[in-house]
Amino acid sequence: MSSVICPYCQQQALFPASMVYKKKALHGWYWVCEPCNARVGCHRDSDRPLGTLANAELRQLRRKCHAQFDWFWQQGFATRPDAYAWLAAVLGPEKGHIAWLNEQGCHELLELTADLRKTMKAVWDNWPRKGTVKAPRPSRGCL
């Protein structure tokens, strides 16, 4: 069994979540620090954490990050693997998934994705629409 230490209180996190929730978690196992209400899910059929323990504030920030970041691959601007490769290239390989980001990393990602979306919107807003751009007429004798 793995060991997960809470980054907030330095105590050992509990495993499985059923020890805390008094029932089996809906989709697997969780590491939970009761005093801090910090938790992290685990990979399927494993006690290996998906990321780092997160308190309520960090979980909210990570949800915002997913809402901003996932939009890019969900809208088809990139594949999901390519989007996460970009994330790792920009923030560093140790931060290649949102579940590994701390508060500072979340704020950095939110700023990056907001800037990228503004740039993409500006390009889209100035993109010629069908029927709005007139092709130049060839002069006589061209063809």
Side-chain angles (χ1 to χ4, degrees), residues 77-100:
F77 292 106
T79 64
R80 188 172 187 221
D82 285 346
Y84 277 97
W86 173 83
L87 178 64
V90 171
L91 296 181
E94 70 285 352
K95 297 177 183 176
H97 196 284
I98 292 169
W100 289 102

Side-chain angles (χ1 to χ4, degrees), residues 123-135:
V123 168
W124 179 253
D125 288 348
N126 292 301
W127 197 264
R129 303 294 191 267
K130 185 176 182 179
T132 61
V133 176
K134 303 262 190 245

Side-chain angles (χ1 to χ4, degrees), residues 101-120:
L101 297 178
N102 60 17
E103 288 85 352
Q104 179 183 346
C106 285
H107 288 296
E108 189 175 344
L109 179 58
L110 289 170
E111 186 176 324
L112 286 168
T113 54
D115 290 346
L116 186 55
R117 284 179 78 155
K118 282 180 195 170
T119 301
M120 292 173 79

